Amino acid sequence: MAALLSLSALALLGAGASAQTFQGTAQGGFPDCVNGPLSNNTVCDKSADPIARAKALVAAFTVAEKLNLTGNNSPGVPRLGLPVYQWWQEALHGVASSPGVTFNASGQFDSATSFPQPILMGAAFDDELIQSVAEVVSTEARAFNNYGRAGLDFWTPNINPYRDPRWGRGQETPGEDPYHLSSYVHALINGLQGGEDPEIRKITATCKHFAGYDIESWNGNLRYQNDVQISQRDLVEYYLPSFRSCARDSNVGAFMCTYSALNGVPTCADPWLLNDVLREHWNWTNEEQWVTSDCDSIQNIFLPHNFSDTRQGAAAAALNAGTDLDCGTYYQHHLPLAYSEGLINQTTVDQSLVRLYTSLVRTGYFDGPNAMYRNLTWSDVGTTHAQQLALKAAEEGITLLKNDGLLPLSITNGTKIAVIGSWANATQQMQGNYYGVPTYLHSPLYAAQQTGAQVFYAGGPGGQGDPTTDHWLPVWTAAEKADIILYVGGLDISVEAEGMDRETINWTGAQVDIIGELAMYGKPMVLAQMGDQLDNTPFVNNPNISAILWGGYPGQDGGVALLNIITGKVAPAGRLPVTQYPAHYISDIPMTDMTLRPNETTGSPGRTYKWYNGTAVFEFGYGMHYTKFTADISPLSKSSYDIASLLSGCTESYKDRCAFENIAVNVHNTGNITSDYSALGFIAGQFGPSPYPKKSLVNYQRLHSIAGGASQTATLNLTLGSLARIDDHGNTYLYPGDYALMIDTMPELTMVNFTLTGNPACLDEWPQPPSGGPTIPPSDYFYGGYGSRGEFPVIAASEELAPGA
Ligand SMILES: O=[N+]([O-])c1ccc(O[C@@H]2O[C@@H](CO)[C@H](O)[C@H]2O)cc1
């Protein structure tokens, strides 16, 4: 495990190793259900119920075999012809290097399509696009699986909301809004798994990290030891909706708990979270779906959380709480002792294994070579359709933040353009983290050269923190020769990544200086800001910088997407999926403050567009177009609604799903450039417990190719859940009051008003956590080292950490 993990860590985290250096564990192929020892076991009977099939398989294992099958690196059961199996695959934005995925050095299966990071795909506000992307990812995953190059379980998506701009893994998420995440993830899971209840599950997706995980390493607070304090209201309102969407509304196959503790309990050992909330309240059925730990987080229950006195106690606490699989070796190592000490029983072990193997049964793993998806081959990887979709996904997400009219830029053969900056010739950078080997990487420089323009290139500053001016001379040479300056820079995964939160949300000094000096040439200048959000104030205010685009991590065709937008081949219609805060924001609130609302006592200005009470540089949802749009909202059926009547017409088992109104938003392109437009609908109003959110996203739809002078209609389906707010206990209520439904076409705001009358009505009663539960004792030691992870220097530990002691 140790050697395996250290290799995979490099590739996963992007810590300087090329993806090609990674070699995953060979998968053991498929069980032989015709001639193998299992052929007479019900698990091989395709006509039997999947749970019955898994139960029959588990019944054939000895206790020792069962305990051996509880780690991600599963040895299988040779005696029964059950092959070795690696449960850990990644596919955040394409099949990615990870323990179960093996890319070939060359030839077939040497690459997979690399889509943009979710943060850029989130900016598209286009769920159909997301589902299409996910369908390609799962097709490629299945093709890899058919040739022994991947398993069938993928530990994606990361759907923790992007709460704080410093978070190193915010790029892995679609953004900061819980409704947006919920809707996005529903489309994504459908595409990955092959529908909500497919006959054969295409691959098993895993919603992670459940829950409240969004700090890597800030001010000495490490993800392995954090105990995040979150109120029930904030949990239900902000941190959990995307997970509810996964479990209750999308039938995702797997979940992953976190390294951190939530309100005193490490999440992987929290029966309230994993059982009462996830399995009971969200009806995530008990025998079919499974929870994995984060990688080595079971060990963290013991150290540094100190939640259990013994190692076997930590393993038992996790298994008994409902963590079915250990990403690591802690279960395999310590469950035998837990078992002999009576800390766990066989029923619990069986239940976890039944969940795991039912999931594999559902993917057709035991169904032989004629099973669905087994015909997919290398010719289904990196297809023309996949390539076009990767380009489209990047184009749809790229967001126009400033334009004095320079864009779209007309580039002809004679145009002289300087392409400058640390991203100008970006290749690997365009993928962000959790990458694989892409079909190709088309940099901005490459794309500029394809336009026929005369291109002058300079890389600009060295690394993110490079204080020297060593690399600057070519910058001035390029700028002097050119008629137009394109600077492509920003962040990369050397400063925002897994294990690494940002220390500033300013542009790094060298870049600010270079961009400022380039602007002084007074030539038409475009700035493309890559990576996550930075405070763009100096460039917004600089009249010599004509246009600013945000391009995130745009994937394999990021450069072409950028140039297509700049030249007007495609019109931009992305909208920011996160708030762009002023740089001082990070001094206004510690990252560890998990609260959302402004607070006079703590000085918190609040978080996200819902509650931030300062002036954002650019708000969530901001995004300009090359044309002008107006919108009007068709009248609602009533101006006032009685709460009791709304509920009496509601027959859904989950009342938040009941329909309220289907809102028609008529969008008019009043300019003359054909463009997409994403209609974002928000609800605002002073009702329910204060302080109120300023507004809340309740639905969105992307309209495509609206010609100049033409109109299209977006249909935003609102539910009772769209109108609900959460009380202090986490209960979901409809409240009487004045409501406004808003569509923001910038600068205009189109609005319709209505009221709800009557008494508040509960839509969802929240299962309260047990009171007086364990809290973490103050830690008197620093936890610093871990053999297989090796991410941190060993400082001191009150106990030696070797497993199995
Ligand atoms: O030791 N390693 O190789 C290693 C690599 C990645 C890693 O990160 C964790 O593993 C990912 C599993 O999907 C989770 O999203 C992330 O929190 C944790 C450990």
Side-chain angles (χ1 to χ4, degrees), residues 5 8-9 90 169 208-209 223 256 259 294 434 498:
L5 284 186
S8 66
E90 301 286 349
R169 302 184 72 178
K208 67 187 186 185
H209 311 79
R223 62 180 181 159
M256 180 183 289
Y259 290 114
D294 203 336
Y434 282 86
E498 188 165 327

Side-chain angles (χ1 to χ4, degrees), residues 515-665:
I515 296 167
E517 241 184 284
L518 283 171
M520 286 167 70
Y521 282 94
K523 296 183 177 183
M525 179 163 168
V526 179
L527 174 62
Q529 177 222 322
M530 310 304 285
D532 280 274
Q533 296 307 313
L534 291 159
D535 179 352
N536 279 325
T537 305
F539 313 129
V540 174
N541 294 338
N542 188 328
N544 282 358
I545 298 176
S546 292
I548 304 176
L549 291 153
W550 171 66
Y553 292 94
Q556 67 181 32
D557 233 348
V560 176
L562 202 59
L563 265 292
N564 283 352
I565 297 273
I566 288 171
T567 57
K569 193 168 171 189
V570 175
R575 303 184 69 156
L576 286 185
V578 280
T579 305
Q580 187 178 111
Y581 295 97
H584 61 74
Y585 182 78
I586 63 168
S587 319
D588 299 342
I589 182 166
M591 202 176 171
T592 41
D593 180 342
M594 304 296 285
T595 65
L596 303 167
R597 290 166 170 76
N599 183 316
E600 280 179 15
T601 313
T602 64
S604 165
R607 295 185 174 282
T608 78
Y609 75 95
K610 293 189 178 208
W611 295 288
Y612 178 51
N613 65 9
T615 306
V617 182
F618 290 109
E619 278 213 10
F620 170 90
Y622 189 89
M624 299 171 74
H625 301 88
Y626 287 161
T627 185
K628 173 94 188 85
F629 285 105
T630 61
D632 59 74
I633 304 173
S634 298
L636 304 186
S637 63
K638 297 180 188 178
S639 60
S640 179
Y641 300 81
D642 172 51
I643 289 177
S645 312
L646 285 174
L647 277 168
S648 68
C650 168
T651 54
E652 297 273 356
S653 45
Y654 301 106
K655 292 195 169 53
D656 57 281
R657 284 184 183 165
C658 280
F660 170 60
E661 290 266 2
N662 294 341
I663 310 288
V665 180

Side-chain angles (χ1 to χ4, degrees), residues 247-550:
R248 194 194 74 177
D249 305 329
S250 312
N251 205 13
V252 75
F255 256 57
M256 180 183 289
C257 47
T258 70
Y259 290 114
S260 44
L262 170 62
N263 297 331
V265 188
T267 59
C268 297
D270 189 345
W272 172 75
L273 192 66
L274 301 185
N275 190 53
D276 299 11
V277 173
L278 174 61
R279 291 194 161 104
E280 295 290 331
H281 196 62
W282 292 340
N283 195 23
W284 201 53
T285 47
N286 245 331
E287 286 173 304
E288 301 202 26
Q289 291 138 324
W290 49 275
V291 175
T292 179
S293 73
D294 203 336
C295 298
D296 299 321
S297 69
I298 308 286
Q299 190 264 333
N300 298 144
I301 295 169
F302 179 57
L303 287 175
H305 285 306
N306 220 11
F307 186 77
S308 305
D309 294 338
T310 60
R311 296 177 176 85
Q312 66 273 24
L319 188 81
N320 289 331
T323 302
D324 304 298
L325 184 75
D326 174 16
C327 176
T329 57
Y330 224 60
Y331 271 2
Q332 288 158 324
H333 232 104
H334 299 296
L335 283 183
L337 189 54
Y339 183 71
S340 61
E341 286 182 357
L343 301 178
I344 57 165
N345 60 41
Q346 217 180 139
T347 313
T348 314
V349 180
D350 286 359
Q351 179 173 261
S352 288
L353 293 176
V354 167
R355 288 172 181 155
L356 286 159
Y357 286 104
T358 305
S359 175
L360 267 188
V361 166
R362 286 212 180 278
T363 58
Y365 181 68
F366 295 92
D367 292 352
N370 296 325
M372 209 168 164
Y373 305 120
R374 287 286 292 275
N375 58 343
L376 294 170
T377 67
W378 170 239
S379 65
D380 297 293
V381 180
T383 60
T384 307
H385 165 68
Q387 293 176 18
Q388 287 169 347
L389 198 60
L391 174 62
K392 181 177 177 214
E395 290 168 344
E396 282 204 13
I398 291 171
T399 305
L400 182 63
L401 300 177
K402 174 182 177 182
N403 187 15
D404 66 7
L406 178 71
L407 298 186
L409 205 60
S410 158
I411 291 188
T412 62
N413 279 349
T415 308
K416 293 177 182 163
I417 181 164
V419 183
I420 298 171
S422 53
W423 272 77
N425 196 18
T427 51
Q428 180 85 10
Q429 267 163 298
M430 295 196 297
Q431 296 185 91
N433 63 3
Y434 282 86
Y435 51 82
V437 184
T439 309
Y440 45 70
L441 287 165
H442 289 155
S443 69
L445 175 62
Y446 163 89
Q449 286 162 341
Q450 302 309 302
T451 63
Q454 208 178 332
V455 179
F456 304 98
Y457 163 71
Q464 289 283 335
D466 184 358
T468 72
T469 57
D470 289 358
H471 311 277
W472 292 23
L473 279 182
V475 171
W476 316 134
T477 312
E480 273 154 27
K481 287 183 180 158
D483 301 324
I484 298 164
I485 297 171
L486 168 60
Y487 185 91
V488 198
L491 294 171
D492 57 45
I493 61 171
S494 66
V495 285
E496 56 169 358
E498 188 165 327
M500 193 194 299
D501 295 313
R502 274 194 274 164
E503 287 168 10
T504 175
I505 54 172
N506 262 320
W507 284 71
T508 57
Q511 294 196 83
V512 173
D513 196 354
I514 283 193
I515 296 167
E517 241 184 284
L518 283 171
M520 286 167 70
Y521 282 94
K523 296 183 177 183
M525 179 163 168
V526 179
L527 174 62
Q529 177 222 322
M530 310 304 285
D532 280 274
Q533 296 307 313
L534 291 159
D535 179 352
N536 279 325
T537 305
F539 313 129
V540 174
N541 294 338
N542 188 328
N544 282 358
I545 298 176
S546 292
I548 304 176
L549 291 153
W550 171 66

Side-chain angles (χ1 to χ4, degrees), residues 206-228:
T206 308
C207 285
K208 67 187 186 185
H209 311 79
F210 188 54
Y213 161 72
D214 59 16
I215 299 172
E216 301 301 301
S217 170
W218 180 80
N219 222 7
N221 295 280
L222 302 182
R223 62 180 181 159
Y224 309 110
Q225 66 187 33
N226 287 334
D227 175 15
V228 296

